[in-house]
Amino acid sequence: MRIPRMIINKNLISNISNITDYDLIKDYLFIRVCNLEQNELKDMPHTAIGDLAITYHIVIKSSDTQICSAKITNNLLNAYGITLDQLHEDAMISSPKMIPPHVQTLESMILGIPDEVVESNSNVKMYIVTNEHNSDGAASIFYPELLNSLSAKLDSSLYVIPSSVDECIVIAENKNVKPKDLKEMLYIVNRSDALSEDKFLSDTVYHYDKDTRLFERYDDYQKMVNKNRFQCH
């Protein structure tokens, strides 16, 4: 699943003083995601989802290998004279254009097998969701319609594993996949040498419901399922 490549080798905001003019910068907004416990969030407007926090940034300059950006602070938000809801709405429109997502099967990424071959032969379908820079790509799961499109393609609800700030692993809900095993795997990897401290995102496995389109912590989803089962008796 690809979207045309991001604008490259461009000075998107020619004068840094323009950063205080919301009408000039709103088309260059993009999102990142971090753990909700990060200290710097006290100075930044953010949207909390479970133990994750969406933060907002401006692309100042981009190339095919890196992005120069500025973070939106509380002071900047006040200067813009807009609400957090407006900032979030505008960032959701511009972010996929500034930093397009990239979705591929795990097997394709590791072994180079075409996605179509993996999807036709594998019972457990695992996808890597990131962006075209493979950096701060976990935020892509919050792009409008991304999870819904993947869920529709697989005709399944999804488990979402926030494996690092750079990417998430998405797995089709399947009787062969045990959420308890996913949580244990995530916990172990987060404390291994494979993940540097600055890349840590969460120990929490999330669930996306195909029918309700609700993204929530798996434990919260399971509580609701158990509650509904109890009410049916």
Side-chain angles (χ1 to χ4, degrees), residues 6-16 18-19 24-25 27-30 32 57-71 97-99 133:
M6 66 175 289
I7 301 171
I8 62 172
N9 299 320
K10 296 287 186 179
N11 288 305
L12 300 180
I13 298 179
S14 57
N15 190 332
I16 195 65
N18 291 337
I19 200 173
L24 292 178
I25 64 92
D27 290 335
Y28 305 116
L29 292 170
F30 71 100
R32 287 177 172 146
H57 308 261
I58 309 164
V59 177
I60 304 298
K61 184 178 180 180
S62 69
S63 72
D64 54 359
T65 58
Q66 62 183 353
I67 298 169
C68 175
S69 66
K71 64 184 179 183
K97 301 173 185 176
M98 289 292 98
I99 308 181
H133 283 273

Coordinates of all heavy atoms in Angstrom, one line a residue, residues 6-16 18-19 24-25 27-30 32 57-71 97-99 133:
M6 N 6.7 11.6 -0.9 CA 6.6 13.0 -0.3 C 7.4 14.0 -1.2 O 8.2 13.6 -2.0 CB 7.1 13.0 1.1 CG 8.6 12.7 1.2 SD 9.2 12.8 2.9 CE 9.1 14.6 3.1
I7 N 7.1 15.3 -1.0 CA 7.8 16.3 -1.6 C 9.3 16.2 -1.1 O 9.5 16.1 0.1 CB 7.3 17.7 -1.2 CG1 5.8 17.8 -1.6 CG2 8.1 18.8 -1.8 CD1 5.1 19.0 -1.1
I8 N 10.3 16.2 -2.0 CA 11.6 16.1 -1.6 C 12.5 17.3 -2.1 O 12.1 18.0 -3.1 CB 12.3 14.8 -2.1 CG1 12.3 14.7 -3.7 CG2 11.5 13.6 -1.6 CD1 13.0 13.6 -4.2
N9 N 13.6 17.5 -1.4 CA 14.6 18.5 -1.8 C 13.9 19.9 -1.9 O 14.2 20.6 -2.9 CB 15.3 18.1 -3.1 CG 16.1 16.8 -2.9 OD1 16.7 16.6 -1.8 ND2 16.1 16.0 -3.9
K10 N 13.1 20.2 -1.0 CA 12.4 21.5 -1.1 C 12.6 22.2 0.3 O 12.5 21.6 1.3 CB 10.9 21.2 -1.3 CG 10.5 20.6 -2.6 CD 10.7 21.5 -3.8 CE 10.2 20.9 -5.1 NZ 10.4 21.9 -6.2
N11 N 12.8 23.5 0.1 CA 12.6 24.4 1.3 C 11.2 24.8 1.4 O 10.7 25.7 0.7 CB 13.5 25.7 1.1 CG 15.0 25.4 1.2 OD1 15.4 24.8 2.2 ND2 15.8 25.7 0.2
L12 N 10.5 24.1 2.2 CA 9.0 24.3 2.2 C 8.6 25.6 2.9 O 7.6 26.2 2.5 CB 8.4 23.1 3.0 CG 8.6 21.7 2.3 CD1 8.0 20.6 3.1 CD2 8.2 21.7 0.9
I13 N 9.3 26.0 3.9 CA 9.0 27.3 4.5 C 10.3 28.1 4.4 O 11.3 27.9 5.0 CB 8.7 27.1 6.0 CG1 7.4 26.3 6.1 CG2 8.5 28.5 6.7 CD1 6.9 26.0 7.6
S14 N 10.2 29.1 3.4 CA 11.4 29.8 3.0 C 11.9 30.8 4.1 O 13.1 31.0 4.2 CB 11.1 30.6 1.8 OG 10.0 31.5 2.0
N15 N 11.0 31.3 5.0 CA 11.4 32.2 6.0 C 11.0 31.6 7.3 O 9.8 31.4 7.6 CB 10.8 33.6 5.8 CG 11.4 34.6 6.7 OD1 11.8 34.3 7.8 ND2 11.4 35.9 6.3
I16 N 11.9 31.3 8.2 CA 11.5 30.7 9.5 C 10.6 31.5 10.3 O 9.8 31.0 11.1 CB 12.8 30.3 10.3 CG1 12.5 29.4 11.4 CG2 13.5 31.6 10.9 CD1 12.1 28.0 11.0
N18 N 8.0 32.8 9.3 CA 6.6 32.4 8.9 C 6.0 31.3 9.8 O 4.8 31.0 9.6 CB 6.6 31.9 7.4 CG 6.9 33.1 6.5 OD1 6.7 34.2 6.8 ND2 7.4 32.7 5.3
I19 N 6.8 30.7 10.6 CA 6.4 29.6 11.4 C 5.3 30.0 12.4 O 4.5 29.2 12.9 CB 7.6 29.0 12.2 CG1 7.2 27.5 12.7 CG2 7.9 29.8 13.4 CD1 8.4 26.8 13.3
L24 N 0.1 29.9 6.8 CA 1.2 29.6 5.9 C 1.8 28.2 6.2 O 2.4 27.5 5.4 CB 2.4 30.6 6.1 CG 2.1 32.0 5.5 CD1 3.3 32.9 5.8 CD2 1.8 31.9 4.0
I25 N 1.6 27.7 7.5 CA 2.2 26.4 7.8 C 1.3 25.3 7.9 O 1.7 24.1 8.0 CB 3.0 26.6 9.2 CG1 2.0 26.9 10.4 CG2 4.1 27.6 9.1 CD1 1.5 25.7 11.1
D27 N -0.5 23.6 5.9 CA -0.4 22.5 4.9 C 0.9 21.7 5.1 O 1.1 20.8 4.3 CB -0.4 23.2 3.5 CG -1.8 23.7 3.2 OD1 -2.8 23.2 3.7 OD2 -1.8 24.6 2.3
Y28 N 1.8 22.1 6.0 CA 3.0 21.4 6.2 C 3.1 20.7 7.6 O 4.1 20.3 8.0 CB 4.2 22.4 6.1 CG 4.2 23.1 4.8 CD1 4.1 24.5 4.7 CD2 4.4 22.4 3.6 CE1 4.0 25.2 3.5 CE2 4.3 23.1 2.4 CZ 4.2 24.5 2.3 OH 4.1 25.1 1.1
L29 N 1.9 20.6 8.2 CA 1.8 19.9 9.5 C 2.0 18.4 9.3 O 1.6 17.8 8.3 CB 0.5 20.1 10.1 CG 0.2 21.6 10.6 CD1 -1.3 21.7 11.0 CD2 1.1 21.9 11.8
F30 N 2.6 17.7 10.3 CA 2.6 16.2 10.3 C 2.6 15.8 11.7 O 2.9 16.6 12.7 CB 3.8 15.7 9.5 CG 5.1 15.8 10.2 CD1 5.7 14.8 10.9 CD2 5.8 17.0 10.1 CE1 7.0 14.9 11.5 CE2 7.1 17.2 10.6 CZ 7.6 16.1 11.4
R32 N 3.7 12.9 14.9 CA 4.5 11.9 15.4 C 3.7 11.3 16.6 O 2.8 11.8 17.1 CB 5.8 12.4 15.9 CG 6.8 12.8 14.7 CD 8.1 13.4 15.2 NE 9.0 13.5 14.2 CZ 9.9 14.5 14.1 NH1 10.0 15.4 15.1 NH2 10.8 14.6 13.1
H57 N 3.9 18.7 14.4 CA 5.2 19.2 13.9 C 5.0 19.9 12.6 O 4.0 19.6 11.8 CB 6.2 18.1 13.9 CG 6.3 17.3 15.1 ND1 7.3 17.6 16.1 CD2 5.6 16.3 15.6 CE1 7.1 16.7 17.1 NE2 6.1 16.0 16.9
I58 N 6.0 20.7 12.2 CA 6.0 21.4 10.9 C 7.2 21.0 10.1 O 8.3 21.0 10.6 CB 6.0 22.9 11.1 CG1 4.9 23.4 12.1 CG2 5.9 23.6 9.8 CD1 5.2 24.8 12.6
V59 N 7.0 20.6 8.9 CA 8.1 20.3 8.0 C 8.7 21.6 7.5 O 8.0 22.4 6.9 CB 7.7 19.5 6.7 CG1 8.8 19.2 5.8 CG2 7.1 18.1 7.2
I60 N 9.9 21.8 7.9 CA 10.6 23.1 7.4 C 11.4 22.8 6.1 O 11.3 23.6 5.2 CB 11.7 23.5 8.5 CG1 11.0 23.7 9.9 CG2 12.3 24.8 8.0 CD1 9.9 24.8 9.9
K61 N 12.1 21.7 6.0 CA 12.8 21.3 4.8 C 12.8 19.8 4.8 O 12.9 19.1 5.8 CB 14.2 21.9 4.9 CG 15.1 21.6 3.7 CD 16.4 22.3 3.8 CE 17.3 22.0 2.5 NZ 18.6 22.7 2.7
S62 N 12.8 19.3 3.6 CA 12.8 17.8 3.4 C 13.7 17.4 2.3 O 14.0 18.1 1.4 CB 11.4 17.3 3.2 OG 10.9 17.7 1.9
S63 N 14.2 16.2 2.4 CA 15.0 15.6 1.4 C 14.6 14.1 1.3 O 13.7 13.7 2.1 CB 16.5 15.7 1.7 OG 16.8 14.8 2.7
D64 N 15.2 13.3 0.4 CA 14.8 11.9 0.3 C 15.4 11.1 1.5 O 15.1 9.9 1.6 CB 15.2 11.4 -1.0 CG 16.7 11.6 -1.3 OD1 17.3 12.2 -0.5 OD2 17.1 11.1 -2.4
T65 N 16.2 11.7 2.3 CA 16.8 11.0 3.4 C 16.4 11.5 4.8 O 16.6 10.8 5.8 CB 18.3 10.9 3.3 OG1 18.8 12.3 3.3 CG2 18.7 10.2 2.0
Q66 N 16.0 12.8 4.9 CA 15.8 13.3 6.2 C 14.8 14.5 6.1 O 14.5 15.0 5.1 CB 17.1 13.8 6.9 CG 17.8 14.9 6.1 CD 19.1 15.2 6.8 OE1 19.4 14.8 7.9 NE2 19.9 16.1 6.1
I67 N 14.3 14.8 7.3 CA 13.3 15.9 7.5 C 13.8 16.9 8.5 O 14.2 16.5 9.6 CB 11.9 15.3 7.9 CG1 11.4 14.4 6.8 CG2 11.0 16.5 8.1 CD1 10.2 13.6 7.3
C68 N 13.8 18.1 8.2 CA 14.0 19.2 9.2 C 12.7 19.7 9.6 O 11.9 20.1 8.8 CB 14.9 20.3 8.6 SG 15.1 21.7 9.7
S69 N 12.4 19.7 10.9 CA 11.1 20.1 11.4 C 11.1 20.9 12.6 O 12.2 21.0 13.3 CB 10.3 18.8 11.6 OG 10.8 18.0 12.7
A70 N 10.0 21.5 12.9 CA 9.8 22.2 14.2 C 8.6 21.6 14.9 O 7.6 21.3 14.3 CB 9.7 23.7 13.9
K71 N 8.7 21.5 16.2 CA 7.5 21.0 17.0 C 6.6 22.1 17.3 O 7.0 23.3 17.6 CB 8.0 20.2 18.2 CG 8.7 21.1 19.2 CD 9.2 20.2 20.4 CE 9.9 21.1 21.4 NZ 10.5 20.2 22.5
K97 N 0.3 13.6 3.2 CA 0.8 14.2 2.0 C 2.3 14.5 2.3 O 3.2 14.3 1.4 CB 0.1 15.4 1.6 CG -1.4 15.2 1.3 CD -2.1 16.6 1.1 CE -3.6 16.4 1.0 NZ -4.3 17.7 0.9
M98 N 2.6 15.0 3.4 CA 4.0 15.4 3.8 C 4.9 14.2 4.0 O 6.0 14.1 3.5 CB 4.0 16.2 5.1 CG 3.4 17.6 4.9 SD 4.5 18.7 3.9 CE 3.6 18.6 2.3
I99 N 4.3 13.2 4.7 CA 5.1 12.0 5.0 C 4.2 10.8 4.7 O 3.6 10.2 5.6 CB 5.6 12.0 6.4 CG1 6.3 13.3 6.7 CG2 6.5 10.8 6.7 CD1 6.9 13.4 8.1
H133 N 10.2 7.1 5.1 CA 11.5 7.3 5.6 C 11.9 6.3 6.7 O 13.1 6.2 7.1 CB 11.6 8.7 6.3 CG 11.7 9.8 5.4 ND1 12.9 10.3 4.9 CD2 10.7 10.6 4.8 CE1 12.6 11.3 4.1 NE2 11.3 11.5 4.0

